[in-house]
C-alpha cells in the first residue's frame, strides 16, 4: 500500500475559520433539524425517520429520494471533520447516537439502505442504474472513515466494513456475482479510503473492479433492465454518457455526462492509478483533466454547463447565464484535483483547488450559512431567470434547503475538511499547496517537522511559516507559486532566498533548523483576464481576478443594466479592503463606459447612442447575492 | 362597412417572382403529396384521409394533431393566391375536387372538423382551450375567401358560411350559448374577411364577440375544464397568458404568451378597431405594437424568443442563439402590420412588413423551396445545438417537413399573396408601401389609376412607376420612404420633385396625366446597426443591414470561430451583387480583427492573445444555411 501520509491539520486561518465556525454553528445544527423534520416551512427530509423505520423502531413508509440516506452520511462526515477542528462532546454524543441507529438499521447480512429495506426488500441490486444503493453506501463509508479518524471510534467503521464485505460478495467476476456498478459513482473513491484505514486489500480490488467493469459490453444497465422486464432506456441523449458508462473508463478522453458523477469517478481513477502505479489509468486521468480544465471549466472552477443531466456538454460551451455549475461538481473537482496532486505535484492541480475553494464552491453558501445555491451561474438577469422556462434552474437568491439536498452537506464537509488540502508529502518532500493559516506536523525522512503557517490570503499575498523540525535536518520543502502570480519573494530568517521553480512549486532544499522562519510574498495585482478565442460566451469580455479571487459586478453597486457597461482594459484597477462590505472583503474599483440610448428604437446607428464614463465596483464572486436580488456578471465587456 | 378597396396586384418582381414560382412548382405540389401521405420518409400527414373518413368514404381512425385539417386549409389558401398569379386549370381542378371533399365532410348542421367528427362526435366544443376547432374553421374561412376571390367559385365559401352560421348559433351572449372562444386565435381575423366578402354583419359581430369575451372572468377555460370533470389547468407558467386570455383583451399592454396566437389576435383587433372606429381598441393595438417593435422584436422581425410556449418572454429578452422566432410568428406580424397600416398610414408599420418579408419569414424556406425552418435563430453554433438539450429546438439546417406542419404552408400563402401588401388606398390617397415590381389599378376619386412598378429591390434602390389614369386627374399618391433610408430622390417625367415627408411617406399631389413616369431612388448604404443598451444579448455587437436586408456571417465564408471576429465599425463596407452566390445576392465585404490564442489556457492575460486583420464576408440572413451546416451570426462583435 502506498502510504498517503496522514497529518492532522489545525486550521487557524482568518478566512476559513469563519466558515468552519459557520458550519459548526449554523449549517450542522440546521441540517440536523432538517434531517429530523423539525425545520418549519421546509419539506420534511424524513431521513432519520427512514432509519428508525428500517431499524424496526417506528412504523411508516419510506419517504424521500432513493438516496435520501446519503444526506445523513454527509452530515456525519461533516461532523467528523468539525470535531477535529472544534471538539464538542455534545455534538459527538448526538453523532454517536445516530450512528448507533444506523447500525440498528443495518441488515444481518451487512446490507444498508433504508429505501430497499423498507420498501422493496426483495429488489436489492435490481436497478443499479437509477437507485443509488452503492452511492449511498459510499457516502456512509466516507463518513465512517472520517468519524474513525476524528474520534478513534470504530462503530460506524465496523458497520461499513460489514457492508463492504457484503458488497464484495455480491459484485465481482465470479460466476454468481453481478458484473455491475452504480449509476452514480461514489463507492469507488470511498472504498479506497476504507482500504487505507483498514489495509484490507479486498476493498482496493473492489474499487478497481467497479472502475474496470464500467462501460464494458454487454452493457450492465441494459442487462439489468431486461431482467426487470423493461426495455433498456438510455434517457440521457440516448447514451450512457450520463453515467460515464458509454465506453470503458480507460477509453474516455472527453468529460461527459453528469458532472458530479464524472468527477467522483475521476477522483477514484486518479487514486487507483496512484495506488496501483497504473500508467495507463494515469494517462486517462491526465487527458480528462486537460479536457476539463482547458475546455470545460468556468473561471470560477464551476463545471457542468447544462441543466439537462446536470452535465458537461462540449468543448468551449460555457454560457454564463445558462450555466448549471452545481456546487457539488466544483467540490468534486477539488477531490479530483487533490488526487491528481498526489499522483504528481504540479501547481496547476493546486491552482484548480484554489480556484474552486475561493470561488465556485463557497458561492454555494450564503455568508450567514443559512441558504444555499445548487446552481452557480456567472451571470444573472433576474428578469430573464423569472420569465424564461429554459432558465428555470437559475435562482437569483440562495434557497433555504432543497428537496434534493446534496449541495448543502457537501459544502459543509468541504469547508470542515479544508485543512486536508493544505499540505502533502511525496518522496520525502513536504509540499505546501495552499496558503491557509494552519498548523501541522509532517514526517520527512522519519523526522517530524512542525509547520505553523500564517496567511492573509485571499486578501493579501503575505505568508509566513515557522518550520520546526525535531532536530536540524537536510531536506526539501516545496511551496506552490500560484498560476496567477506574476512574481514572488521568499526569505528565510530575514535573508532573501532564490529558489528553483519546478511545475509551479518553489523547491527549498536546505538544512532546516528549529524555529526557521520562512516568509513568502506574492504580490496580488488585479489581473484582467481574457477568454480563449473559442470561448464564445465571453468573446469581447474580460473578467477580473485578484489573487485567487474572481470578481463580479452586481447591480446594487453599479445600478441596473450591467450589459451596457464596458470596462477599460488598459487601466490600473484599484483594490482596497472594505470591512463594511460583505463581512470584510477586498473590493475593486475602476472606470467603465456606459452606453445610453437617445431613442427608444431597438436598433440604431452609432450617433443615436452616447457613452459616458462611470465608476464601477466589483466584489468577490463567491459573495454575490448577499444583498438582495439583482443583476450580476463575472464577465463584462471591455471598452 | 368600411371598404377595404380590392385591387388585384400582379407581381412582376424579379426577387418575388422566383419565390412565387417556387411556391407553385415546388411547395404546393410537395405539400399536396404530403397531405396525401405520398412523401417517402416523411411522417404521414393523414389530412386528406381524415376528410375521406369524416365524409364516410373511407374507414379508419383519425390521425394527426387535433388541428391537422388546417394544413389542408392553408394549402387551399396558398393555391388560391397562386391561381391569381399563375393560372393553372389542372391545379384548380385538383383544388375543386378537394373542396368538394371538404364539403362532403361537413356535418348537416354546418360543423366541420374531422377530429371530432371521427373521434369524439359527442364532444364538440368541450375543450376550446386545447383543441383548435375554431382555429381550424378560421383557416378554412380564409381559404374560402381567397378561393372565391381568385376563382369566383362559391362552393367553399358557402360551406364556410354554413359553418360560420352554425358557430354563430353556438357562441354568443344568449342564455343557451357558449360565452367562449378558441385557445388559438384565428377565427377572429377570418370572420372579418368573411364579413367583407359576404357583407353579412353577423360575422363582424361574432368576431367582435370573440375579442370582447376573451379573458373575462369567470374564466371560460376554467369553466369548461370543470365541465369536463377536470381541474382547471394553466399549463403555461400558471397563467392563461399563453393564449392571451389572462386578462380582457383591451387591458393588455405587453405582448405575452404564444407569439403566433398573439399576432393573429392583434391582427383581428386592429381590423376591428378600424371597422368599428373603436378608438379604445386602436389604442390597445398601438400600445401592443410599441411593446413588440420597441422591446420584443429581433432585427429580422422575428418574434417570440422562447421555445417554451413558443412565446414572448419579457422586454429586451432577445437571445440570438436560444431564439424561437417561429416563421409563422413573423408571418403573423406581417398580417398585423398590414392592419395597423390600414388603420393609419405610418411608414413604421410598413417598415416592419418589409423587415419581415425580406428577413425573418423567408429565412424559413430553403432557396430551392424543399426544406423549412420552424425556428429562425440569429446565431447558430452547430456544436452547441447538437449537444445542449436547451437548444434542442434549434436546427442547423432546414427540415423536409414537420409533424406540426404549420410553417411551410404559412410561408407559401404569404409569398403567394405578397402582392396584397404593396398598395393600399385610404381617404382617396393611393399608397405605395413596398417596392415590389408589379401592376395594379387603384380607384382614386372614382378614377381608375393604373400603376406599373419596376423595382430592383432589395438589391438596388431604384424604382420606377408608370402612372396611368383613365383621364388626367388631381390627386395624391404617397410613396413610403423606408426607415433605413438616409436620403432619397424623386422625379416625374425627368424633373426632380420636392415632396413632403409625413410619417414615412412622400406625398405627391399633382395633376396626374396619362403615362406619367415617376422615378424614386433610395441609396442603399450599408448600415452598421447597434442595439438598444438594454438589449443585453447584443451588447458590444453590431449588425449589418443594407436596404431592407439584414446580413449575417457564415462559417463557410469566414471559417469557424465567428465569435473570435470583431468588425470595425468605422469602415465603409463594400457591397456587390454576386450572381454566383446563393442564386444571386448582394454580398458585403469588409475588414475584421480575429483574435487568436498563443496558449491552450481558457483564461489568459492580454499578452497571451494576438489579433490580426482579416477580411469578412456577409450574406443576406434569409439565405443562411443553404450551403451546409456551419456557424452563423447576425450580430457580431465590433472591434
Amino acid at each position: 500500500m502506498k502510504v498517503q501520509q496522514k497529518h492532522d491539520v489545525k486550521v487557524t486561518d482568518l478566512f476559513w475559520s469563519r466558515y468552519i465556525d459557520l458550519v459548526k454553528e449554523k449549517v450542522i445544527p440546521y441540517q440536523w433539524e432538517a434531517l429530523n423534520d423539525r425545520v418549519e416551512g421546509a419539506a420534511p427530509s424524513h431521513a432519520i425517520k427512514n432509519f428508525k423505520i428500517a431499524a424496526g423502531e417506528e412504523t411508516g413508509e419510506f419517504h424521500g429520494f432513493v438516496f435520501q440516506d446519503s444526506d445523513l452520511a454527509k452530515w456525519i462526515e461533516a461532523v467528523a471533520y468539525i470535531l477535529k477542528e472544534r471538539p464538542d462532546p455534545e455534538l459527538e454524543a448526538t453523532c454517536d447516537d445516530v450512528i448507533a441507529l444506523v447500525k440498528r438499521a443495518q441488515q444481518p447480512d451487512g446490507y444498508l439502505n433504508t429505501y430497499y429495506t423498507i420498501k422493496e426488500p426483495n429488489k436489492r441490486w435490481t436497478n443499479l442504474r437509477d437507485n443509488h444503493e452503492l452511492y449511498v453506501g459510499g457516502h456512509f463509508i466516507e463518513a465512517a472513515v472520517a468519524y474513525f479518524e476524528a474520534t478513534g471510534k470504530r462503530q460506524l467503521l465496523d458497520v461499513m466494513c460489514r457492508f463492504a464485505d457484503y458488497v464484495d460478495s455480491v459484485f465481482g467476476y465470479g460466476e454468481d456475482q453481478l458484473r455491475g456498478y452504480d449509476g452514480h459513482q461514489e463507492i469507488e473513491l470511498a472504498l479506497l479510503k476504507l482500504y487505507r484505514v483498514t489495509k484490507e486489500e479486498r476493498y482496493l480490488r473492489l474499487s478497481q473492479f467497479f472502475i474496470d467493469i464500467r462501460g464494458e459490453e454487454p452493457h450492465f444497465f441494459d442487462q439489468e433492465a431486461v431482467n426487470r422486464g423493461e426495455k433498456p432506456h438510455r434517457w440521457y441523449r440516448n447514451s450512457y454518457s450520463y453515467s460515464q458508462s458509454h465506453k470503458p473508463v480507460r477509453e474516455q478522453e472527453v468529460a461527459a455526462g453528469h458532472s458530479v458523477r464524472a468527477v467522483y469517478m475521476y477522483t477514484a481513477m486518479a487514486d487507483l492509478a496512484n495506488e496501483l502505479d497504473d500508467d495507463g489509468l494515469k494517462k486517462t486521468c491526465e487527458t480528462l483533466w486537460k479536457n476539463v480544465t482547458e475546455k470545460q471549466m468556468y473561471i470560477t472552477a464551476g463545471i457542468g454547463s447544462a441543466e439537462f443531466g446536470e452535465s458537461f456538454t462540449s468543448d468551449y460551451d460555457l454560457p454564463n447565464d445558462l450555466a448549471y455549475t452545481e456546487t457539488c461538481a466544483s467540490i468534486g473537482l477539488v477531490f479530483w484535483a487533490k488526487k491528481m496532486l498526489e499522483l504528481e505535484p504540479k501547481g496547476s492541480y493546486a491552482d484548480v483547488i484554489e480556484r474552486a475553494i475561493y470561488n465556485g464552491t463557497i458561492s454555494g453558501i450564503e455568508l450567514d450559512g443559512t441558504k444555499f445555491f445548487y446552481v452557480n451561474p456567472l451571470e444573472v438577469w433576474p428578469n430573464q431567470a423569472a420569465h424564461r422556462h429554459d432558465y428555470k434552474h437559475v435562482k437569483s437568491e440562495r434557497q433555504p434547503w432543497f428537496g434534493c439536498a446534496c449541495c448543502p452537506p457537501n459544502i459543509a464537509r468541504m469547508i470542515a475538511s479544508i485543512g486536508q488540502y493544505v499540505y502533502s508529502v511525496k518522496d520525502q518532500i513536504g509540499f505546501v499547496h495552499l496558503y491557509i493559516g494552519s498548523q501541522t506536523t509532517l514526517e520527512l525522512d522519519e523526522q517530524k517537522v512542525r509547520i505553523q503557517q500564517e496567511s492573509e490570503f485571499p486578501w493579501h499575498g503575505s505568508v509566513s511559516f515557522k518550520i520546526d523540525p525535531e532536530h536540524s535536518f537536510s531536506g526539501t520543502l516545496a511551496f506552490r507559486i500560484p498560476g496567477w502570480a506574476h512574481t514572488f519573494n521568499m526569505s528565510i530568517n530575514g535573508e532573501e532566498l532564490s529558489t528553483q521553480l519546478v511545475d509551479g512549486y518553489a523547491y527549498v532544499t536546505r538544512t532546516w533548523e528549529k524555529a526557521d522562519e520562512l516568509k513568502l510574498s506574492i504580490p496580488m495585482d488585479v489581473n484582467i483576464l481574457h477568454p480563449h478565442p473559442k470561448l464564445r460566451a465571453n468573446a469581447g469580455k474580460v473578467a477580473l481576478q485578484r489573487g485567487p479571487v474572481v470578481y463580479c459586478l452586481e447591480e446594487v453597486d453599479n445600478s441596473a443594466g450591467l450589459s451596457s457597461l464596458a470596462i477599460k482594459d488598459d487601466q490600473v484597477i484599484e483594490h482596497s479592503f472594505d470591512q463594511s462590505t460583505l463581512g470584510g472583503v477586498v473590493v475593486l474599483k475602476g472606470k467603465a463606459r456606459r452606453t445610453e440610448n437617445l431613442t427608444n428604437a431597438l436598433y440604431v446607428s452609432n450617433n443615436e447612442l452616447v457613452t459616458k464614463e462611470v465608476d464601477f465596483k466589483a466584489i468577490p464572486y463567491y459573495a454575490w447575492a448577499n444583498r438582495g436580488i439583482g443583476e450580476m456578471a463575472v464577465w463584462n465587456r471591455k471598452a
Side-chain angles (χ1 to χ4, degrees), chain A residues 412-603:
Chain A
R413 69 180 180 137
M414 188 203 82
I415 289 170
S417 64
I418 197 73
Q420 296 184 6
Y421 299 90
V422 182
Y423 307 96
S424 75
V425 175
K426 190 172 177 86
D427 300 333
Q428 306 306 329
I429 297 169
F431 287 89
V432 183
H433 304 297
L434 298 175
Y435 298 112
I436 292 179
S438 55
Q439 297 166 3
T440 194
T441 301
L442 305 182
E443 207 176 301
L444 302 175
D445 285 325
E446 293 172 19
Q447 279 243 24
K448 286 195 191 313
V449 182
R450 202 167 163 270
I451 297 178
Q452 187 171 340
Q453 177 182 173
E454 280 177 22
S455 163
E456 294 178 50
F457 267 53
W459 310 127
H460 197 275
S462 297
V463 197
S464 69
F465 294 89
K466 280 201 185 124
I467 315 289
D468 217 1
E470 282 176 300
H471 317 283
S472 73
F473 89 109
S474 287
T476 304
L477 293 178
F479 299 84
R480 173 174 151 269
I481 306 305
W484 48 261
H486 297 296
T487 177
F488 68 98
N489 280 295
M490 215 180 235
S491 68
I492 284 199
N493 304 325
E495 244 173 84
E496 201 162 314
L497 197 66
S498 73
T499 58
Q500 210 195 340
L501 196 63
V502 180
D503 275 343
Y505 287 85
Y507 284 75
V508 184
T509 303
R510 67 191 305 270
T511 302
W512 299 90
E513 306 288 348
K514 268 182 121 44
D516 269 349
E517 238 189 77
L518 184 144
K519 291 200 178 208
L520 171 62
S521 168
I522 311 173
M524 284 186 179
D525 304 318
V526 178
N527 287 337
I528 299 181
L529 294 174
H530 299 253
H532 188 287
K534 289 190 175 168
L535 214 169
R536 174 153 156 156
N538 296 337
K541 295 181 177 178
V542 291
L544 305 176
Q545 183 177 335
R546 181 178 170 275
V549 177
V550 173
Y551 280 75
C552 69
L553 269 62
E554 278 199 304
E555 180 177 335
V556 64
D557 298 314
N558 301 285
S559 76
L562 293 183
S563 66
S564 66
L565 288 180
I567 292 175
K568 299 174 167 189
D569 69 340
D570 55 355
Q571 67 182 316
V572 175
I573 292 170
E574 289 172 31
H575 60 91
S576 59
F577 188 80
D578 181 350
Q579 188 60 59
S580 68
T581 296
L582 297 160
V585 296
V586 166
V587 299
L588 307 185
K589 286 178 183 170
K591 298 289 182 195
R593 296 205 72 83
R594 183 183 283 278
T595 304
E596 295 185 350
N597 50 307
L598 297 174
T599 78
N600 287 326
L602 272 174
Y603 309 109

Side-chain angles (χ1 to χ4, degrees), chain A residues 26 40 192 211 223 275 329 416 553 567 596 599 636:
Chain A
K26 293 282 180 65
E40 242 180 87
L192 293 169
I211 291 293
Q223 293 180 308
E275 188 61 42
L553 269 62
I567 292 175
E596 295 185 350
T599 78
N636 293 280

